[in-house]
Amino acid sequence: DSLDGDEGEALDYGYTEINLIAVIEGIANAEQTQSIMSWIDGTRIVDGDDSQGEDIYFFQFAPRLHTKDAAGSSNSVVELKTFGTDIQNGGSSIHVAYYDLIARNKVYGVDNSFERFKKIQKWYEEVKTYGGKDSSFYRAYYTKKQLDTKDKQYTLAGGGTVGAVGVDYEFFEASLLYATLPTLYMGVDCKEYKVLKVEPCLPSELSYLKAYNLMFNGVVYNLKVTDSEVEISGVKNAVADLYINVVLNGEEGKTVKVDGESYNDYVYKNGQYILKVPFGNHTIKVK
């Protein structure tokens, strides 16, 4: 039940974040997944929604948090502003971009998610051209956009103000977006205790990807991946009981090399070479 007049009513304001998480976690079945993704990417129009089609990505970096006006409802503990001018009523927060990219990668594949990633990059590069610095980095952009367009949707939330866009100040969850490149395209995870897994899955337009100052179990490292190579560098104080599990695609019969030397302690399964070595500075290749 909700509050006041909404008690007993089924509420659906088109919450994109919740639906994207349902896709990622496998809660949505195949039919529901297609329905969710086609709605969020704008190819399926939902009658009665206040944001449809391309407008769902009005804020560029991520879809709106939801697509139906909730201002007249009592389902929120705060008083909601006009749709699109309140982060809790048609606005957006940059952390939703992370869930959007993960879901797209799962449903549509790596090239689709990377195409969306590049649109986020384009938005970021546009923000930079407005000259904002430090705590005003985003504010310089959104202040000018609102002055130019007279559109109150270009109002930042955070730092004591209420608005439609959550990207800085108390929106610490924005840092989720930083995890996209290592998670999706470098295939980094650490679900196994004290083991860093690296399984590259590069978009077709990238030949390699490199990230600096990553951290695993308190150890700082750099990581470079291609479709057939994983290179870990910059490790200064490796811990003895840490390992890296490398998974590389390749046809059977190729040579596996670790630091330039042939390496035979691997498993070949389902078109993948799988091996585990102590965590440290290594170059691992399948050729």
Side-chain angles (χ1 to χ4, degrees), residues 157-173:
T161 63
V162 177
V165 182
V167 291
D168 59 4
Y169 280 80
E170 62 261 36
F171 292 93
F172 299 114
E173 62 271 25

Side-chain angles (χ1 to χ4, degrees), residues 12 69 107 163 191:
D12 184 359
D69 189 357
V107 178
K191 295 176 184 176

Side-chain angles (χ1 to χ4, degrees), residues 98 102 179-201 214-217 221 223 225 230 232 242-247 272 274-276 279:
Y98 173 80
I102 298 292
T180 304
L181 285 174
T183 300
L184 287 187
Y185 310 127
M186 301 178 109
V188 171
D189 77 45
C190 50
K191 295 176 184 176
E192 184 179 352
Y193 184 59
K194 291 193 174 182
V195 177
L196 179 73
K197 182 180 179 182
V198 181
E199 184 177 355
C201 185
L214 300 175
M215 181 177 285
F216 171 59
N217 212 74
Y221 68 101
L223 179 63
V225 303
V230 168
I232 291 185
L242 297 182
Y243 293 88
I244 175 171
N245 182 23
V246 174
V247 181
Q272 294 181 315
I274 306 167
L275 60 147
K276 183 185 290 186
F279 187 86

